[in-house]
Amino acid sequence: MHTIDLVYVGRGPHEELVAYIADQQGFYADEGVHVSLRDGCTWDAQQLRRCAVIGLGRTVLSRLNDGIPWVALHVNTASPLFWFLARPGLTSLADLAGQRLAVTPPHTGPGVFTRIVLRQAGLDVDRDVRTFVRWPGDYAMDLRRLRAGEIDAAMVGDTMAPEALAAEYGWNLLAYVGDHFRIPTVGVAVDPTYIEPDSPAVQAVVRAHRRALQVIQKDPDTTLRYLGNFLGRHTGDEIRAHYEKFIAPYFSPDGHTDLAAAQAGLTAVAAELGVSATFTAAEFYTTATAGSH
């Protein structure tokens, strides 16, 4: 049996669900690979290079900034699962002007996505918004600060079901990032300097993840059972609503992604970082672009 280290670099089902299903359903074993799933949330790019990495946002940023020759072989979704939650009285992204917004650092994937989406709404994060910068995590402290009135809004990930939280606390859901900006955010990426993309272990992981994506699309009851392990604060109805609105419609059925949309996303990220992209989406999202899903 082949072995490989597979690293997640974020929290929540957005990042972890596909690998979790592949593990729990025995798909890795079926495909002849032993996977050591590792927490790389605080790892730097150099530490990540010797592993297969789930986070495509992190890898595309380090290829743009550091020239690490990452390639993505599989895409789970190209719709970033992040949302802007806000206190009552704020009803649009434009209303965030002058407000206190919790965001992740500008060199992180969610931080870049935040800046791109707010720029589309006519806001410069550095000039027009009062930012409270914190590291990506489970966003629980953001919810506490929002309830306490210490901040006015937060850009949060899917460690919770944001629509359910908005309904529970009387907050407003200003925007779903995936409605405003598309780029592959999670899948499988490797640095060919250390891991051959065509190696049996990598290809076994890709096959296992494709099978997990089929579970998400065709077996909602199984998916909901696993999703509940990530969204334990929510009711079954809330978890199902989250799955039906944000998971099933946006996760690829086969690990492929739309190359034109990926190129547009890559161009926008490079512009936001103020760097020149020395590679194309076709060079980065290699075998993950055989379709337009």
Side-chain angles (χ1 to χ4, degrees):
M1 179 172 286
H2 304 288
T3 63
I4 194 167
D5 287 335
L6 178 64
V7 178
Y8 58 88
V9 295
R11 305 288 186 186
H14 179 210
E15 182 93 6
E16 301 174 74
L17 181 61
V18 170
Y20 188 75
I21 291 173
D23 178 59
Q24 296 298 305
Q25 292 289 105
F27 295 158
Y28 292 138
D30 290 348
E31 297 297 341
V33 61
H34 175 78
V35 173
S36 294
L37 193 59
R38 307 188 64 183
D39 180 349
C41 291
T42 61
W43 291 12
D44 62 25
Q46 294 304 318
Q47 289 177 288
L48 295 173
R49 296 181 71 179
R50 298 178 185 272
C51 306
V53 179
I54 292 173
L56 303 187
R58 177 83 69 88
T59 51
V60 78
L61 260 62
S62 64
R63 182 161 178 175
L64 285 166
N65 285 324
D66 308 314
I68 297 174
W70 297 102
V71 292
L73 309 172
H74 174 90
V75 170
N76 297 339
T77 181
S79 295
L81 270 73
F82 299 95
W83 296 261
F84 290 86
L85 279 176
R87 63 168 173 78
L90 304 179
T91 59
S92 70
L93 291 175
D95 289 343
L96 292 176
Q99 304 299 318
R100 299 163 298 175
L101 173 67
V103 296
T104 62
H107 65 276
T108 65
V112 172
F113 304 157
T114 297
R115 288 168 173 265
I116 289 172
V117 171
L118 289 183
R119 202 176 298 282
Q120 292 175 0
L123 298 176
D124 184 321
V125 173
D126 297 319
R127 185 188 65 234
D128 302 323
V129 182
R130 298 161 59 192
T131 56
F132 179 89
V133 179
R134 44 78 172 125
W135 193 254
D138 68 2
Y139 303 98
M141 189 57 71
D142 291 344
L143 305 185
R144 176 181 290 186
R145 291 189 172 107
L146 194 53
R147 290 198 302 269
E150 297 172 5
I151 58 175
D152 301 296
M155 197 281 281
V156 300
D158 71 338
T159 56
M160 77 291 287
E163 286 196 329
L165 284 177
E168 180 179 354
Y169 292 111
W171 296 333
N172 291 325
L173 190 64
L174 302 186
Y176 165 48
V177 170
D179 284 339
H180 297 265
F181 175 69
R182 293 181 61 196
I183 192 170
T185 51
V186 282
V188 176
V190 297
D191 175 0
T193 308
Y194 296 99
I195 298 178
E196 173 55 49
D198 292 330
S199 71
V202 171
Q203 291 303 311
V205 169
V206 168
R207 291 193 301 271
H209 285 198
R210 286 176 180 162
R211 294 175 65 182
L213 288 172
Q214 285 293 296
V215 171
I216 290 173
Q217 296 298 328
K218 297 182 177 181
D219 191 347
D221 289 340
T222 296
T223 304
L224 287 169
R225 186 171 76 250
Y226 293 135
L227 192 57
N229 293 333
F230 292 94
L231 303 177
R233 65 170 292 154
H234 294 292
T235 67
D237 287 344
E238 290 170 343
I239 294 169
R240 181 175 289 276
H242 183 75
Y243 162 80
E244 291 177 348
K245 186 165 185 179
F246 295 112
I247 303 293
Y250 292 110
F251 274 61
S252 167
D254 54 14
H256 295 155
T257 197
D258 184 330
L259 184 57
Q263 182 62 58
L266 176 62
T267 300
V269 168
E272 186 61 43
L273 293 173
V275 300
S276 298
T278 58
F279 58 94
T280 65
E283 292 169 325
F284 186 84
Y285 308 103
T286 55
T287 58
T289 55
S292 56
H293 304 279

